[in-house]
Amino acid sequence: MIKLVNVNKHFGTNHVLKDINLHIPTGQKVVVIGPSGSGKSTLIRCINMLEKPNSGQVVVDGVDLMAPRAPIAKVRQSVAMVFQSFNLYPHKTVLENLTLAPIVVQGVSKEEAEDSGMAYLHRVGLAEKFDQYPAQLSGGQQQRVAIARALNMHPKILLFDEPTSALDPEMIQEVLDVIIGLAAEGITMVVVTHEMGFAKEAADRVVFIDEGLILEDGPPEHFFENAQNERTKLFLSKILR
Amino acid sequence: MGDTLTSLALMFSPDKWASLFDNGMNQLWAGFRITFFAACGGLVLALALGIVFGVLSASHWKIARGITRAYVEFFQNTPLLLQVVFLGFGLPIVWPAAGRFLSNAASALLPWSNTGFLMIAGILGVGIYHGAYISEAVRAGIQSISKGQLEASLSQGMSYIQSMRYIVIPQALRVVLPPLTNQAVNLVKNTSVLMVIGVYDLMLSGKAVQTTLNNPGPVFLTVMLMYFAMCYPLALLSKYLEDRAEVNA
């Protein structure tokens, strides 16, 4: 479903991703962890081309996104992203946040987009907020709306870029519960996070990245109990105190 | 002090007003219509240019940014008066084809005006001049919207144009509204440069009526009120739109 081959990304003189190779089959739940500045956000943003790699191959759902004139916008319709800072549209109501892209990008009728949108709002427990504006919601509620907005595109892949990092501690769990619920389904998921509990509970696979290199790649039990790399052990010792 | 009051009273005496209403108002209204028309045309042009160039100058497209820089800097840093004089009198000499095109446009669009070409030149002048200022306001407005908004909409499969149209510009508009009103009001007042190229707008009509009637007080006070009547509604409209935007923010 997702294939990164020898992906390199530079920001000026900063070599952020170094020959990254990552194959993610359909339905897999991958958690990407690593210290800040390790390149994990850049990695996930390369999957939907919000960052364009300097070299390498990015193939998503069978489409080579690095090819000239690649249908990037088309592929993005089935690759939904949830951001650290939510990025809800503040001038639109909650329901409009969910229906805008399906209507203008996918050509779904307004009624259909609203019906499925309300269903997803129910699912994240915010149906009664449908006519409010994002600024009237708490951070946790905003992020749940952002997840519902992603789902209303009926994506094949869900990307989460540190979905709980901007939240107050007491709001993290309500968002994690929604994401864990989604993980029980067949959808392909890539989650950049610092939530080790989530990685243990919901991931099929943990990828540890540091200084632009993938240092560990395996099932969560392997990662948490049997990490090989010294850098990984150091990271875990700090984070699992 | 007493002398000043006496001469003021003389200047605005009832017979002076009567002379204006009997013999000058028709010409003032004619000027009002010309100014109103020029202001509407200039506003439409300035808004269109301002939005297009503002969006381009906030884009990542280097050539477009270069072109908009040149446009903005040139028109912001040269006098409007000179620009309008050039369009009205210089252009037909320097570039006869363009002059002929504008003449034809004038006789097609403004058959009722015997200075149609000069009016078109004036509308172009104020439109292009204020378009440059509006483009800067629009650029600042777009850049004030967080990058996350563009990224969120792009990540949902929207094109750059769709992201601008549905997400960025509606939010930027709130930021842009106050400086936009400023420009709109200034544009209305700046149509008075038409006077210099001989179009009988409100300003030149006022001057003509004053010359005939030797009646500066009531004539210019009325001219002022007529300008005010055009500009104040724009300020009210902007206030209304701003308040409405507040509610949804």
Side-chain angles (χ1 to χ4, degrees):
Chain A
M1 183 58 89
I2 302 170
K3 194 168 76 170
L4 306 184
V5 183
N6 294 330
V7 166
N8 281 281
K9 176 68 185 177
H10 302 260
F11 289 118
T13 58
N14 195 359
H15 197 172
V16 186
L17 294 179
K18 298 167 183 162
D19 275 328
I20 294 287
N21 285 286
L22 189 63
H23 296 224
I24 299 174
T26 304
Q28 200 169 56
K29 327 294 171 197
V30 180
V31 164
V32 181
I33 55 182
S36 46
S38 58
K40 55 192 189 308
S41 277
T42 308
L43 173 69
I44 200 175
R45 287 161 59 86
C46 282
I47 295 172
N48 66 354
M49 287 281 135
L50 282 184
E51 301 292 353
K52 195 175 185 306
N54 297 98
S55 67
Q57 211 189 1
V58 178
V59 182
V60 175
D61 199 17
V63 181
D64 178 3
L65 295 179
M66 294 288 280
R69 303 191 165 277
I72 292 174
K74 180 84 191 141
V75 171
R76 281 172 175 161
Q77 291 179 28
S78 53
V79 185
M81 183 172 245
V82 175
F83 297 85
Q84 179 175 352
S85 48
F86 330 136
N87 295 345
L88 292 177
Y89 308 134
H91 59 307
K92 302 273 179 198
T93 64
V94 164
L95 187 57
E96 285 166 352
N97 265 274
L98 269 65
T99 58
L100 178 66
I103 292 170
V104 304
V105 175
Q106 294 178 321
V108 175
S109 76
K110 187 162 182 261
E111 294 71 34
E112 200 182 323
E114 288 183 344
D115 287 348
S116 64
M118 284 310 293
Y120 284 121
L121 283 178
H122 265 292
R123 171 149 187 191
V124 301
L126 291 170
E128 78 280 10
K129 304 281 190 190
F130 76 96
D131 59 348
Q132 308 227 326
Y133 284 88
Q136 296 168 287
L137 306 182
S138 72
Q141 291 172 333
Q142 289 192 44
Q143 192 62 301
R144 280 147 67 197
V145 170
I147 293 170
R149 175 176 72 176
L151 293 171
N152 208 28
M153 297 291 287
H154 306 294
K156 294 177 182 168
I157 300 171
L158 273 172
L159 306 177
F160 292 86
D161 187 4
E162 302 203 28
T164 57
S165 298
L167 296 174
D168 292 338
E170 71 267 28
M171 291 173 182
I172 290 177
Q173 200 53 47
E174 66 185 56
V175 172
L176 281 183
D177 287 343
V178 171
I179 302 176
I180 289 167
L182 290 171
E185 295 181 10
I187 195 164
T188 309
M189 276 170 56
V190 183
V191 185
V192 171
T193 187
H194 295 294
E195 295 296 327
M196 296 302 141
F198 171 77
K200 278 182 186 164
E201 191 172 343
D204 300 326
R205 178 177 173 189
V206 173
V207 170
F208 178 72
I209 180 169
D210 188 32
E211 294 182 352
L213 293 168
I214 291 178
L215 298 184
E216 301 279 349
D217 182 357
E221 48 277 16
H222 162 85
F223 177 76
F224 287 107
E225 286 144 34
N226 199 16
Q228 301 300 307
N229 191 292
E230 282 307 315
R231 186 69 191 83
T232 319
K233 288 179 189 165
L234 183 65
F235 177 78
L236 283 172
S237 73
K238 281 182 185 165
I239 213 154
L240 296 177
R241 267 180 307 178
Chain B
M1 188 66 195
D3 286 353
T4 314
L5 281 180
T6 317
S7 46
L8 256 183
L10 273 177
M11 199 179 228
F12 289 98
S13 65
D15 58 310
K16 296 279 188 190
W17 284 104
S19 131
L20 170 63
F21 281 103
D22 292 343
N23 303 308
M25 278 313 280
N26 282 342
Q27 202 176 344
L28 286 193
W29 279 120
F32 179 90
R33 280 195 295 275
I34 299 274
T35 290
F36 185 77
F37 182 84
C40 290
L43 267 178
V44 170
L45 179 63
L47 276 176
L49 288 174
I51 290 172
V52 169
F53 279 100
V55 169
L56 285 178
S57 68
S59 77
H60 291 284
W61 190 20
K62 268 194 178 152
I63 302 168
R65 285 215 307 268
I67 293 170
T68 56
R69 261 354 288 157
Y71 163 63
V72 168
E73 298 302 343
F74 179 79
F75 286 97
Q76 279 193 349
N77 295 304
T78 52
L80 170 62
L81 194 58
L82 208 54
Q83 292 163 17
V84 171
V85 168
F86 173 78
L87 281 171
F89 301 136
L91 191 66
I93 302 167
V94 185
W95 190 7
R100 272 197 302 280
F101 175 78
L102 289 183
S103 279
N104 292 337
S107 33
L109 295 171
L110 317 165
W112 43 270
S113 167
N114 51 5
T115 52
F117 169 74
L118 292 171
M119 249 184 94
I120 296 262
I123 290 172
L124 284 176
V126 291
I128 294 171
Y129 177 83
H130 287 281
Y133 283 92
I134 291 173
S135 128
E136 282 293 86
V138 168
R139 178 183 62 78
I142 289 174
Q143 287 175 345
S144 76
I145 303 304
S146 97
K147 201 167 156 249
Q149 291 292 309
L150 181 64
E151 286 185 347
S153 46
L154 290 177
S155 82
Q156 291 203 287
M158 288 191 206
S159 65
Y160 184 75
I161 306 258
Q162 285 175 323
S163 298
M164 281 291 146
R165 175 175 161 202
Y166 293 108
I167 304 303
V168 178
I169 291 180
Q171 294 180 61
L173 221 47
R174 287 172 197 179
V175 184
V176 172
L177 224 39
L180 204 61
T181 316
N182 243 331
Q183 288 306 317
V185 168
N186 276 332
L187 185 148
V188 174
K189 294 185 291 186
N190 275 346
T191 55
S192 57
V193 295
L194 282 168
M195 166 187 187
V196 178
I197 53 174
V199 176
Y200 275 80
D201 72 331
L202 182 51
M203 194 63 223
L204 188 55
S205 301
K207 188 163 176 278
V209 171
Q210 137 66 11
T211 310
T212 321
L213 302 180
N214 188 22
N215 186 3
V219 169
F220 287 121
L221 186 61
T222 307
V223 166
M224 256 182 175
L225 289 174
M226 283 176 163
Y227 274 111
F228 187 84
M230 280 184 264
C231 294
Y232 189 58
L234 282 172
L236 287 181
L237 175 69
S238 149
K239 183 89 182 67
Y240 165 77
L241 291 173
E242 259 178 78
D243 288 348
R244 218 182 52 159
E246 269 326 279
V247 174
N248 292 348

